């Protein structure tokens, strides 16, 4: 679950607060609970009075049954609970079959994930969008948390368009992949309107979501 919230510090917080997200089922029981630092990468003790922050939180809904849940939010030890409304959780549709693809690669990253290949569409043009569909296979599980990068670069290595995201449009974090599972992972690059005609390369890979270290090809 990828959640982005907007906060404003009424006054400068005296300490670092934690955010708690609870999912409550139809019977009123808490089916799942996640806790993360309220400030994500920007601790609340560093917030200034009047400052507006928009942290993004990623929760893994492990072992949660599909269904409808009431999403409840609380901060620190406060008794006040805020409702974010109803969250509908669907089951992952997993595949262990390698699909057809335009280009095969077979690159091994970090010793644990194979980039099977990719599709591209349509023909790239200045000001247009370029869809890049990657096909990954997990060689073992569990995996650490990683993000995908897709960079379009010129001959000098300058980046003209890029995407950095959790696989499958933030829906399939690597920590939830199973051994042998094949993940279809689509990204859309927005090409600049002033992009010069010429030859460009696409650089694709994975990097650790916490340390930002790239997973090396082996």
């Amino acid at each position: 679950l990828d959640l982005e919230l907007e906060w404003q510090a009424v006054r400068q917080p005296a300490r670092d607060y934690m955010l708690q997200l609870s999912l409550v089922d139809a019977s009123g029981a808490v089916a799942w609970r996640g806790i993360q630092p309220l400030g994500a990468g920007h601790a609340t003790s560093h917030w200034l009075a009047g400052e507006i922050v928009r942290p993004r939180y990623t929760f893994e809904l492990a072992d949660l049954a599909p269904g409808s849940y009431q999403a409840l939010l609380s901060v620190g030890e406060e008794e006040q609970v805020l409702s974010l409304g109803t969250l509908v959780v669907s089951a992952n549709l997993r595949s262990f079959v390698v699909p057809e693809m335009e280009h095969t690669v077979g690159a091994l990253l970090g010793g644990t994930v194979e980039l099977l290949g990719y599709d591209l569409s349509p023909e790239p043009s200045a000001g247009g969008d370029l869809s890049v569909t990657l096909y990954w296979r997990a060689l073992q599980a569990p995996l650490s948390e990683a993000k995908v990068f897709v960079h379009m670069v010129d001959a000098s290595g300058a980046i003209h368009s890029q995407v950095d995201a959790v696989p499958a449009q933030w829906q399939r974090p690597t920590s939830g992949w199973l051994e042998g599972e094949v993940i279809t992972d689509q990204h859309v690059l927005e090409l600049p309107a002033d992009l010069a005609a010429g030859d460009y390369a696409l650089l694709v890979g994975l990097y650790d979501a916490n340390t930002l270290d790239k997973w090396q090809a082996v």
Side-chain angles (χ1 to χ4, degrees), residues 109-158:
L109 300 179
T112 56
V113 173
E114 181 182 8
L115 176 58
L116 297 169
Y118 64 95
D119 297 335
L120 295 177
S121 64
E123 282 292 322
S125 61
D129 291 339
L130 176 62
S131 174
V132 182
T133 302
L134 307 174
Y135 299 95
W136 305 98
R137 177 161 56 190
L139 302 184
Q140 67 181 55
L143 299 172
S144 59
E145 202 68 62
K147 289 185 177 179
V148 178
F149 68 87
V150 182
H151 294 171
M152 181 178 180
V153 302
D154 60 23
S156 71

Side-chain angles (χ1 to χ4, degrees), residues 112 140-144 174-179:
T112 56
Q140 67 181 55
L143 299 172
S144 59
T174 54
S175 57
W177 296 4
L178 300 180
E179 182 176 351

Side-chain angles (χ1 to χ4, degrees), residues 94-116:
R94 300 185 185 272
S95 174
F96 296 85
V97 177
V98 177
E100 294 184 1
M101 59 195 74
E102 296 175 0
H103 310 276
T104 57
V105 177
L108 185 61
L109 300 179
T112 56
V113 173
E114 181 182 8
L115 176 58
L116 297 169

Side-chain angles (χ1 to χ4, degrees), residues 160-210:
H160 291 266
S161 183
Q162 68 180 73
V163 172
D164 291 75
V166 172
Q169 300 178 356
W170 296 82
Q171 299 301 307
R172 294 301 315 276
T174 54
S175 57
W177 296 4
L178 300 180
E179 182 176 351
E181 185 176 6
V182 176
I183 307 295
T184 300
D185 175 29
Q186 184 183 37
H187 302 272
V188 177
L189 292 174
E190 297 180 358
L191 306 185
D194 59 353
L195 185 67
D199 294 331
Y200 296 85
L202 286 178
L203 304 182
V204 174
L206 295 167
Y207 64 91
D208 188 287
N210 297 310

